[in-house]
């Protein structure tokens, strides 16, 4: 379709509505509805068009694979919680930690086994640190900051076995297909990882605060847990349902499924490339990675079911745990469905052509920095990395194609911008979850994090400017 200013109207609706309401899904739905009526401006036609676009998105084979992966992964985490895997890990780790250095080393080392999602990280590490707060000798705000730098900033850089991978690859696929590009979205995701500068800078800051910065005195801010309270509150099991006293203590119920899903994903990825006749390293590049991830996960779920049944957990309880876990991501699956439909509608309205025709005046060196700064502002006000990625990735890829800027660089900038909001926004799930577990005031804690986050954002912007001159 030829370039039309109408194609940007859905985005002009989505962004301000999301910022004003602090809700991503209603804003995206409204943008989808507006786009549908622009294509079919009749009372019934607009609704029918919206329905058709969403259904077409949902029946796409790759999209179905992503939905299955997200639901099954979250369902597996639900079973791990229910069978005492998380509580068992926390209990055993807390028994062995005696010093601040040991506790902080555990925080970083445990990332190897608990990088499934930010919430997963928080419910395995934060209760340990809360129980050991006196030994750790840090303010709770500093403690929360250190834990968070090992969550989203790390997880968005990991290319396998996380709740983020399927969504991130899907967003790239949407944007590249709208541009008519036949590029493997997973390969683009891998190439974009080194350019997610914000996440990398935040990890470095976290390491500095953990091992090289020492607070001289405890904070008197209202967000601070009182030391006397910590001493008296020997029972930390109430800070999150996943570490409740009512659950069994079985750390292997966490470790074995995670090791299995990672190993199977890597093996099946290599195997898919191997049977196509590629060498060892090239096999990983040429393989159908999404297929390998889904199949590896489904095998892990089945083996985990068998393992838990052998431990005499009831089948009905396991099924309930799996469904409860999977249902926690239904809002994300719904979000994806709307993003898929909105992307297709704006493409049919001529969004790509409009970007080509009207953005050539932007200096090439400013593309990545502008995308990051704009996306960081959006993500801060809506508090959602995933929502930001869904809104901005089509725009970022279109600008990259028009300006002939490196696609992995721009994709990395989009992911970095969403990571900023997930880390720093008082509306983000990360901020609210860690504040609840550690007993912090959400707004005071978010205010504490904002300064280092802005410093990291400024460094990130400078890095994008520098890299743009190199590329």
């Amino acid at each position: 379709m030829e370039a039309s200013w109408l194609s940007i109207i859905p985005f002009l609706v989505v962004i301000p509505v999301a910022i004003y309401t602090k809700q991503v899904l209603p804003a995206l739905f409204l943008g989808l509805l507006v786009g549908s009526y622009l294509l079919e401006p009749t009372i019934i036609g607009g609704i029918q068009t919206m329905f058709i676009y969403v259904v077409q998105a949902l029946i796409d084979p790759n999209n179905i694979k992503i939905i299955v992966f997200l639901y099954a992964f979250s369902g597996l985490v639900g079973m791990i919680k229910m069978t005492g895997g998380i509580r068992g890990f926390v209990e055993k780790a807390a028994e062995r930690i005696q010093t601040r250095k040991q506790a902080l080393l555990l925080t970083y080392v445990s990332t190897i086994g608990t990088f499934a999602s930010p919430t997963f990280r928080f419910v395995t590490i934060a209760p340990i640190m809360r129980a050991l707060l006196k030994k750790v000798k840090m303010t709770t705000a500093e403690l929360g900051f250190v834990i968070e730098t090992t969550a989203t900033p790390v997880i968005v850089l990991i290319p396998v076995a996380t709740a983020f991978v399927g969504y991130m690859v899907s967003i790239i696929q949407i944007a590249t297909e709208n541009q008519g590009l036949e590029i493997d979205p997973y390969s683009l995701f891998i190439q974009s990882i080194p350019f997610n500068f914000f996440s990398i800078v935040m990890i470095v800051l976290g390491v500095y605060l953990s091992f090289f910065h020492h607070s001289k005195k405890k904070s008197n801010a209202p967000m601070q847990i009182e030391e006397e309270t910590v001493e008296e509150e020997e029972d930390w099991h109430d800070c999150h349902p996943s570490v409740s006293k009512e659950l069994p203590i079985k750390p292997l119920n966490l470790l074995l499924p995670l090791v299995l899903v990672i190993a199977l994903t890597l093996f099946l990825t290599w195997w898919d490339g191997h049977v196509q006749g590629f060498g060892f390293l090239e096999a990983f590049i040429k393989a159908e990675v999404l297929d390998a991830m889904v199949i590896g996960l489904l095998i892990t779920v089945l083996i985990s079911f068998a393992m838990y049944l052998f431990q005499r957990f009831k089948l009905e309880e396991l099924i309930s745990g799996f469904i409860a876990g999977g249902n926690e991501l239904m809002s994300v699956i719904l979000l994806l469905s709307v993003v898929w439909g909105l992307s297709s509608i704006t493409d049919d309205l001529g969004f790509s052509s409009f970007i080509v025709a009207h953005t050539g005046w932007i200096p090439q060196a400013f593309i990545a920095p502008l995308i990051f700064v704009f996306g960081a502002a959006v993500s801060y006000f809506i508090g959602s990395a995933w929502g930001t990625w869904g809104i901005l990735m089509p725009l970022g890829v279109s600008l990259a194609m028009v300006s002939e800027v490196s696609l992995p660089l721009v994709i990395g900038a989009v992911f970095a911008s969403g990571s900023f909001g997930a880390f720093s926004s008082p509306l983000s799930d990360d901020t609210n979850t860690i504040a609840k577990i550690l007993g912090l005031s959400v707004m005071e804690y978010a205010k504490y994090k904002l300064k280092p986050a802005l410093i990291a954002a400024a460094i990130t912007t400078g890095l994008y400017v520098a890299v743009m001159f190199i590329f």
Side-chain angles (χ1 to χ4, degrees), residues 18-209:
I19 291 174
Y20 178 75
T21 63
K22 309 295 191 293
Q23 296 290 322
V24 177
L25 185 57
L28 286 168
F29 179 80
L30 186 58
L32 174 64
L33 189 62
V34 169
S36 300
Y37 273 103
L38 288 173
L39 279 176
E40 191 61 48
T42 62
I43 295 176
I44 302 299
I47 299 294
Q48 288 178 328
T49 299
M50 179 180 69
F51 176 73
I52 289 170
Y53 272 90
V54 172
V55 168
Q56 287 177 340
L58 289 173
I59 63 176
D60 180 86
N62 281 332
N63 292 349
I64 291 175
K65 292 174 188 175
I66 289 165
I67 289 173
V68 169
F69 175 83
L70 290 173
Y71 193 92
F73 198 97
S74 190
L76 176 62
V77 172
M79 288 199 300
I80 290 171
K81 292 177 184 177
M82 190 214 79
T83 57
I86 292 177
R87 186 197 169 187
F89 177 85
V90 173
E91 294 278 7
K92 296 300 181 183
E95 290 174 5
R96 291 169 171 76
I97 302 301
Q98 300 298 324
T99 67
R100 175 183 186 274
K101 186 176 180 180
Q102 288 177 338
L104 292 173
L105 281 173
L106 173 68
T107 301
Y108 284 92
V109 173
S110 65
T111 306
I112 298 171
T114 60
F115 58 75
S117 72
T119 302
F120 199 48
R121 285 283 297 143
F122 298 150
V123 300
T124 52
I125 291 302
I128 299 173
M129 303 296 272
R130 178 183 171 95
L132 302 171
L133 187 60
K134 186 178 179 182
K135 294 178 183 178
V136 173
K137 296 188 183 302
M138 299 174 71
T139 67
T140 44
E142 287 177 326
L143 183 58
F145 178 85
V146 170
I147 294 172
E148 276 205 76
T149 58
T150 66
T152 294
V154 173
I155 293 167
V156 295
L157 304 178
I158 297 175
V160 294
T162 76
F164 281 46
V165 172
Y167 183 84
M168 296 171 86
V169 172
S170 175
I171 293 301
I172 294 173
Q173 180 180 343
I174 292 169
T176 53
E177 286 182 350
N178 286 352
Q179 293 295 315
L181 300 174
E182 295 184 3
I183 303 177
D184 178 37
Y186 184 80
S187 295
L188 269 181
F189 169 58
I190 296 293
Q191 295 170 46
S192 75
I193 289 174
F195 298 112
N196 189 337
F197 293 143
F198 178 79
S199 295
I200 295 169
V201 172
M202 284 311 309
I203 293 169
V204 172
L205 283 179
V207 171
Y208 167 74
L209 182 60

Side-chain angles (χ1 to χ4, degrees), residues 228-249:
E228 293 79 11
T229 303
V230 175
E231 290 175 352
E232 294 172 5
E233 189 185 271
E234 295 181 1
D235 187 3
W236 42 264
H237 297 85
D238 295 331
C239 71
H240 196 277
S242 296
V243 292
S244 170
K245 275 175 132 183
E246 299 171 358
L247 295 172
I249 302 174

Side-chain angles (χ1 to χ4, degrees), residues 403-441:
S403 307
E404 298 182 350
V405 176
S406 165
L407 264 180
L409 173 62
V410 172
I411 290 170
V414 172
F415 286 142
S417 69
S419 302
F420 174 85
F423 182 87
S424 63
S425 174
L427 301 173
S428 78
D429 289 341
D430 290 13
T431 300
N432 283 271
T433 301
I434 198 71
K436 181 179 179 182
I437 293 175
L438 293 180
L440 301 170
S441 160

